[in-house]
Amino acid sequence: MRGFQLTAFKFAAIVAFGGFIFGLDAALISGTVRFITAEFTLSDLQVGTVVSAPGFGVIFALMVTGRICDAWGRKTALLLIAALYLVSAIGSVLAPNFEMLVAARFLGGLAFTSLSLASMYIGEIAPPQMRGKLVSMNQITTVVGLSAAYFANYLILQASNADAAWVTALGIDQYTWRWMLGVEVIPALIWLLMLLQIPESPRWLVLKGRLDEARAVMGKLLPEGHIEPHILEIQESAAAAPTGSFRQQVAEIFKPRLRTAFWVGLVIAVAQPITGINAIMFYAPTVFEQVGIGTNAAFMQAVIVGVVSVMFTILALLLIDRLGRRPLVLFGLAWGGASLFLCSWAFSQASYELTVSSLQALADANIDVSGLQALVGTAFETDVAFKQAMYQALGEATARANEGALIQEAIQIDATLVLMGIMCFIASFNLSIGPVMWVLFSEIFPTYVRGVAIPFFALIVSTVSYFVQQFFPWQLNNMGATEIFLFYAACISVSLVLLYRLLPETKNKSIEEIEAAMVRA
């Protein structure tokens, strides 16, 4: 039996490596915001467009992912996704302007369906007692990718500031943001090659009537005596289900027999991104600069975010099949909501005031402070008011390019409280709804609609996530940190109440047992 488990682990690990590529793609852009804003003279909404372009692309991809993976198979769909990541990474590095950068990142967004497809594939090959752990690997590789991206950005930033011949020779000082985005290229190529080793999903093969191929794959995953009963179980589940066109399969999701699964899927699909996780993860250095710790320290804090994410995702992996899905989600949401309320309160107590000594520090950093003399001694109660004053005094382009330094010299805030709140929120998310959402998606939908249902609900996740990413820079400069954190804390609170009422426990149940229970409910 151990040999079969190791084989399942191997296939799951290869597919889950796509999460690492996703994590790189998602987080590398966070370190480039200041550089591309200055190079292409971008507005808040344009910055949001660059960062959220993949989130916009995945919306379109998810509309056809179900058809592709049901018609061509899970493996073929994964290979196409890996190729898209590779082309997008190369295109982003070489982009000569804002429009081409957005286009390249949009192309990468077409590959973001890797998360939903990986959950589907792993859920279909994993033994019931291992499914939670194996599907959660997708989240682990994602947060490892995020952590690697933050660390790579930090190292490249430090290198760009070093006075060394090799830095100049490689163009790291001149093309800093391109080096950051280029980190993704080699891992994307490696994943594409690794995917050639995995078999097709045995469940998909059974549904297509390719039973000999299904038996061959199952022979690698199950003892011989379990293969025929498992095939029969899949066939009976499929036979009892309505059949029809793609449109009819989508319509099945809304039928009364799947009502419970639909509402659970819908609420958790909205709840996961509406926590605001992508506002922090995709703009990590920018968020930390608001606390006044400076650009270098902000990049270092982003590295710590990555480490915390990895640690608590591993903890979730260890607990998900022991404690269950429901306790982790409810505890994590309660903890995350409290953490963001703490951040909101801390920012509400902050004030901003430039002094003579702070002007000298800015001047020493080669910032023209002549326009700031009249503001010395003026106290601002919100970050929005302070930033607007900086825009008027220095011009928007100059103020935005030096925002981290300006805030660092002016802000009076309990930074420890904010940093602790953010780290606790990151921990709570990765302990709960982050990994558990994909596990639930792989469990609660019957086999005959899973190829449509998972991309459908992933589409909802991606749509909400897109709006979070697109409008965060605008929100930050127009609503302010206090209101943003309060908004996301309130969203988490509503999600907690709804999931407390709706969320079932699915641990240690086969997919067919879960299907039967959900239909009865």
Side-chain angles (χ1 to χ4, degrees):
M1 182 63 72
R2 182 169 178 79
F4 297 118
Q5 291 177 344
L6 289 175
T7 301
F9 177 84
K10 172 188 173 183
F11 294 151
I14 290 174
V15 173
F17 188 68
F20 180 82
I21 311 301
F22 169 82
L24 284 178
D25 196 289
L28 286 171
I29 192 67
S30 68
T32 72
V33 169
R34 289 275 177 261
F35 298 101
I36 62 174
T37 298
E39 181 166 334
F40 298 140
T41 317
L42 304 182
S43 66
D44 288 334
L45 290 179
Q46 286 177 318
V47 172
T49 299
V50 171
V51 174
S52 67
F56 190 52
V58 73
I59 293 174
F60 293 92
L62 286 169
M63 293 179 182
V64 298
T65 296
R67 291 193 184 190
I68 292 174
C69 68
D70 276 350
W72 297 351
R74 283 44 163 162
K75 179 177 179 178
T76 300
L78 286 167
L79 286 168
L80 289 173
I81 283 170
L84 284 171
Y85 271 131
L86 179 60
V87 174
S88 170
I90 295 172
S92 296
V93 172
L94 300 177
N97 52 45
F98 162 71
E99 291 79 11
M100 292 301 295
L101 180 59
V102 170
R105 287 184 51 74
F106 175 88
L107 187 64
L110 299 178
F112 273 21
T113 52
S114 59
L115 293 183
S116 59
L117 283 183
S119 297
M120 180 193 306
Y121 180 91
I122 296 171
E124 291 180 350
I125 68 164
Q129 69 274 16
M130 295 180 64
R131 191 186 312 113
K133 291 184 176 67
L134 294 185
V135 175
S136 293
M137 287 173 59
N138 205 36
Q139 182 69 15
I140 288 180
T141 56
T142 296
V143 296
V144 170
L146 290 167
S147 183
Y150 295 139
F151 187 65
N153 282 346
Y154 177 75
L155 290 180
I156 291 171
L157 179 68
Q158 297 306 305
S160 70
N161 294 325
D163 186 16
W166 66 271
V167 171
T168 303
L170 294 174
I172 296 177
D173 54 342
Q174 185 177 358
Y175 305 110
T176 306
W177 67 268
R178 297 182 189 275
W179 274 94
M180 290 178 177
L181 296 183
V183 169
E184 183 182 347
V185 175
I186 299 301
L189 177 60
I190 291 173
W191 188 46
L192 178 62
L193 298 176
M194 289 171 62
L195 284 173
L196 297 173
Q197 303 178 44
I198 67 170
E200 184 53 80
S201 161
R203 290 178 183 272
W204 182 81
L205 292 170
V206 171
L207 292 177
K208 293 298 181 181
R210 295 159 61 175
L211 300 185
D212 290 340
E213 294 175 67
R215 290 187 184 98
V217 175
M218 288 184 182
K220 302 175 182 179
L221 301 168
L222 296 169
E224 185 175 351
H226 293 193
I227 294 176
E228 293 304 324
H230 193 51
I231 289 177
L232 182 60
E233 189 178 33
I234 296 172
Q235 289 175 325
E236 289 177 347
S237 175
T243 58
S245 66
F246 175 80
R247 182 174 298 178
Q248 290 172 321
Q249 290 182 55
V250 173
E252 279 297 319
I253 301 173
F254 299 91
K255 294 292 181 64
R257 71 191 308 269
L258 294 181
R259 182 180 292 119
T260 301
F262 173 84
W263 284 113
V264 171
L266 178 63
V267 172
I268 203 167
V270 174
Q272 201 242 41
I274 206 64
T275 59
I277 184 65
N278 286 337
I280 294 177
M281 301 301 281
F282 283 54
Y283 295 94
T286 302
V287 170
F288 287 117
E289 282 183 354
Q290 308 309 304
V291 186
I293 60 176
T295 299
N296 285 338
F299 271 76
M300 189 64 229
Q301 287 296 321
V303 173
I304 297 174
V305 164
V307 174
V308 170
S309 298
V310 173
M311 290 173 56
F312 279 86
T313 301
I314 292 173
L315 182 60
L317 175 68
L318 297 175
L319 295 177
I320 193 168
D321 284 328
R322 184 171 302 176
L323 297 181
R325 288 61 160 151
R326 178 181 168 87
L328 287 182
V329 168
L330 298 182
F331 171 75
L333 286 176
W335 185 17
S339 300
L340 293 188
F341 274 121
L342 182 66
C343 292
S344 178
W345 182 84
F347 273 109
S348 72
Q349 305 301 305
S351 63
Y352 303 79
E353 182 177 347
L354 291 172
T355 64
V356 174
S357 60
S358 62
L359 286 192
Q360 183 59 52
L362 292 170
D364 291 342
N366 297 318
I367 299 174
D368 183 3
V369 297
S370 58
L372 300 176
Q373 298 290 343
L375 296 177
V376 172
T378 301
F380 299 90
E381 295 184 356
T382 68
D383 51 340
V384 174
F386 175 73
K387 290 176 184 178
Q388 290 299 320
M390 295 303 100
Y391 293 164
Q392 293 176 10
L394 299 175
E396 186 170 348
T398 300
R400 286 168 64 87
N402 298 283
E403 184 174 287
L406 291 168
I407 293 176
Q408 183 179 15
E409 294 300 328
I411 194 170
Q412 297 295 321
I413 191 174
D414 189 341
T416 301
L417 205 60
V418 177
L419 296 177
M420 182 177 69
I422 292 175
M423 293 305 171
C424 284
F425 168 67
I426 296 298
S428 69
F429 178 88
N430 287 289
L431 180 65
S432 61
I433 199 168
V436 174
M437 181 188 75
W438 296 109
V439 174
L440 287 170
F441 280 177
S442 73
E443 293 178 331
I444 64 176
F445 300 111
T447 302
Y448 68 92
V449 295
R450 189 175 300 119
V452 174
I454 292 181
F456 174 81
F457 285 98
L459 174 62
I460 295 174
V461 176
S462 298
T463 301
V464 178
S465 179
Y466 163 72
F467 284 109
V468 169
Q469 298 167 45
Q470 170 66 56
F471 292 104
F472 179 73
W474 181 90
Q475 286 179 303
L476 189 59
N477 286 333
N478 290 273
M479 293 172 57
T482 299
E483 298 299 327
I484 288 177
F485 282 112
L486 181 61
F487 170 74
Y488 289 126
C491 290
I492 290 176
S493 300
V494 173
S495 301
L496 176 61
V497 172
L498 291 174
L499 288 173
Y500 178 81
R501 295 175 60 88
L502 291 171
L503 189 62
E505 185 53 73
T506 58
K507 71 170 182 175
N508 294 333
K509 296 180 181 178
S510 72
I511 290 176
E512 285 67 34
E513 288 173 338
I514 295 169
E515 176 186 344
M518 298 290 277
V519 170
R520 284 198 301 269

